[in-house]
């Protein structure tokens, strides 16, 4: 009986599975009038690479202003670090004691703006830094190490020659620091080092540019004074000027002792001709003269003189002293 039930159950399961396998597949029909959306393509925007040729622009309230490019470093300095550049500049600016710079026990430096002056000191000794007579310290000396260095200030002389002295003494050997001295005329940068025994007794400066300016000023004053001291009552303008040249004198006169030849304004001394005295035998003779403020000054009187540049195609101008009653307009 149980076998019959098992057979019937097997037949039912087999029939059910067969009917499911033969059943028609269901299809999905899209609704009319509806278009399925197209797939969205992802667009990737690639940034343009930056170029070094584009100028850098600076925004202002009015407009964009182009900032000029910085000059490229030379091949010799392109690979130098900031520290190397600073060390090289300091080495180039350093001024050290030499035999040529010694005046007895004083080291005489030439003052150069921005230079670094070496000062060698020693414990138990004082180094005297002597400033220019007449200049005044505008503040206390400024030092990098104010603990191990003793610094004092004193003066010598009085009036226009009053001179400031900065006295420096280290407490130990093997020290190094810097010091700045500010005055009403100069700025001094000092490099201080201390040694066991060797030290500079004193140091000071020469001022070549200022000395040259004083010489030129004195020369100008002397030249102006020489022209200004002419006695107007004795001036004689009775001179005749013949010839053609850009440098032809515009006026010639004498004061009874010296003869003055005035040249056009703007003429440089290098463009001026040599001066010869013409003798009675028509020979050209050299004469001593000097150039002052557009004037030739001859320390004598003459009857006739020649100014000449060149030989073959020479430019000549004759200057003739006339009698007092002669008419120079002819």
């Amino acid at each position: 009986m149980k076998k019959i039930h098992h057979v019937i159950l097997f037949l039912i399961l087999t029939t059910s599975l067969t009917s499911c396998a033969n059943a028609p597949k269901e299809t999905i029909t899209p609704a009319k009038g509806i278009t399925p959306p197209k797939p969205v393509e992802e667009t990737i925007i690639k940034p343009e690479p930056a170029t070094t040729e584009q100028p850098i622009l600076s925004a202002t309230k009015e407009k964009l202003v182009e900032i000029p490019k910085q000059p490229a470093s030379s091949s010799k300095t392109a690979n130098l670090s900031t520290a190397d550049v600073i060390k090289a500049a300091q080495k180039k600016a350093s001024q050290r004691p030499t035999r040529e710079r010694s005046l007895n026990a004083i080291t005489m430096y030439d003052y150069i703006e921005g230079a670094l002056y070496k000062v060698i000191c020693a414990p138990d000794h004082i180094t005297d830094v002597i400033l220019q007579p007449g200049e005044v310290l505008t503040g206390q000396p400024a030092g990098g190490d104010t603990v191990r260095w003793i610094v004092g200030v004193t003066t010598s002389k009085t009036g226009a020659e009053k001179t400031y002295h900065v006295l420096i003494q280290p407490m130990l050997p093997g020290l190094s620091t810097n010091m700045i001295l500010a005055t009403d005329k100069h700025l001094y940068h000092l490099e201080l080092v201390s040694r066991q025994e060797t030290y500079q007794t004193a140091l000071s400066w020469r001022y070549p540019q200022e000395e040259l300016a004083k010489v030129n000023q004195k020369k100008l004053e002397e030249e102006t004074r020489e022209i200004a001291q002419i006695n107007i009552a004795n001036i004689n303008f009775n001179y005749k000027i013949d010839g053609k040249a850009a440098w032809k004198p515009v006026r010639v006169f004498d004061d009874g002792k010296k003869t003055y030849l005035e040249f056009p304004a703007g003429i440089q001394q290098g463009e001026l001709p040599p001066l010869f005295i013409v003798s009675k035998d028509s020979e050209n003779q050299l004469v001593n003269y000097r150039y002052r403020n557009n004037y030739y000054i001859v320390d004598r009187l003459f009857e006739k003189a020649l100014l000449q540049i060149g030989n073959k195609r020479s430019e000549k101008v004759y200057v003739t002293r006339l009698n007092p009653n002669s008419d120079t307009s002819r």
Side-chain angles (χ1 to χ4, degrees):
M1 193 69 182
K2 288 181 180 181
K3 292 181 177 180
I4 295 173
H5 284 294
H6 286 301
V7 172
I8 294 171
L9 181 59
F10 175 76
L11 291 175
I12 293 171
L13 291 173
T14 304
T15 305
S16 299
L17 292 173
T18 303
S19 61
C20 290
N22 295 329
K25 295 181 179 181
E26 183 179 1
T27 59
I28 300 174
T29 303
K32 293 182 179 181
I34 299 176
T35 303
K38 295 181 179 181
V40 179
E41 295 182 0
E42 183 179 1
T43 303
I44 300 175
I45 301 175
K46 296 181 178 181
E48 295 183 2
T51 62
T52 57
E53 299 297 326
Q54 297 295 327
I56 302 173
L57 299 180
S58 173
T60 63
K61 293 181 179 180
E62 298 180 356
K63 60 180 180 179
L64 293 176
V65 180
E66 183 175 343
I67 299 176
K69 298 178 181 178
Q70 295 295 326
S73 301
S74 62
S75 57
K76 294 182 180 180
T77 60
N79 298 326
L80 293 178
S81 65
T82 302
D84 291 334
V85 171
I86 293 174
K87 288 180 180 179
Q90 291 175 340
K91 183 178 180 180
K92 186 177 180 181
S94 181
Q95 304 292 312
R96 299 173 180 272
T98 62
R99 180 180 298 177
E100 293 75 16
R101 289 172 172 167
S102 298
L103 178 62
N104 296 328
I106 303 176
T107 302
M108 297 295 297
Y109 289 119
D110 286 334
Y111 180 79
I112 305 171
E113 189 172 355
L116 302 176
Y117 299 100
K118 196 82 169 183
V119 184
I120 301 173
C121 309
D124 302 325
H125 295 83
I126 292 176
T127 297
D128 181 10
V129 179
I130 308 169
L131 302 184
Q132 185 183 37
E135 72 176 333
V136 179
L137 280 170
T138 56
Q140 291 297 317
D145 184 351
T146 59
V147 176
R148 297 178 295 178
W149 292 79
I150 303 171
V151 180
V153 177
T154 188
T155 60
S156 64
K157 303 180 182 179
T158 58
E161 293 297 314
K162 184 177 180 179
T163 304
Y164 277 78
H165 301 255
V166 179
L167 310 178
I168 304 173
Q169 178 185 350
M171 300 179 69
L172 298 169
L175 303 178
S176 64
T177 188
N178 71 316
M179 180 176 290
I180 298 175
L181 306 178
T183 75
D184 58 344
K185 295 182 179 180
H186 308 99
L187 186 64
Y188 303 89
H189 294 269
L190 310 181
E191 288 184 309
L192 309 183
V193 296
S194 65
R195 297 181 180 175
Q196 185 65 46
E197 296 181 357
T198 305
Y199 72 99
Q200 290 170 265
T201 303
L203 63 110
S204 190
W205 286 266
R206 298 186 185 96
Y207 305 86
Q209 294 183 348
E210 296 174 32
E211 291 170 3
L212 179 60
K214 288 180 180 179
V215 170
N216 291 336
Q217 181 63 28
K218 185 178 180 181
K219 184 179 178 181
L220 179 60
E221 291 174 356
E222 291 176 352
E223 294 173 356
T224 305
R225 191 183 306 114
E226 187 172 12
I227 301 297
Q229 287 178 347
I230 297 174
N231 190 344
I232 299 177
N234 297 332
I235 290 181
N236 171 34
F237 287 99
N238 256 4
Y239 284 86
K240 184 179 180 182
I241 306 171
D242 296 316
K244 293 182 179 180
W247 42 261
K248 179 180 177 180
V250 296
R251 188 178 294 106
V252 179
F253 59 92
D254 69 74
D255 62 357
K257 295 180 180 180
K258 301 177 183 179
T259 306
Y260 302 84
L261 290 77
E262 182 183 357
F263 289 91
I267 293 294
Q268 300 298 320
Q269 185 174 358
E271 301 173 356
L272 295 175
L275 175 68
F276 303 93
I277 298 298
V278 181
S279 68
K280 293 181 179 180
D281 299 329
S282 298
E283 294 182 357
N284 298 336
Q285 301 174 351
L286 291 173
V287 62
N288 291 328
Y289 61 93
R290 56 194 173 278
Y291 181 76
R292 297 283 189 273
N293 289 345
N294 263 32
Y295 284 87
Y296 273 180
I297 302 176
V298 187
D299 291 325
R300 56 166 287 186
L301 304 179
F302 56 78
E303 296 298 324
K304 190 174 183 178
L306 169 65
L307 297 163
Q308 179 177 340
I309 291 181
N311 292 319
K312 293 182 179 180
R313 297 182 178 180
S314 61
E315 294 180 303
K316 295 182 179 181
V317 171
Y318 286 94
V319 177
T320 306
R321 188 169 187 262
L322 303 176
N323 294 325
N325 297 327
S326 300
D327 184 3
T328 59
S329 63
R330 289 182 299 176

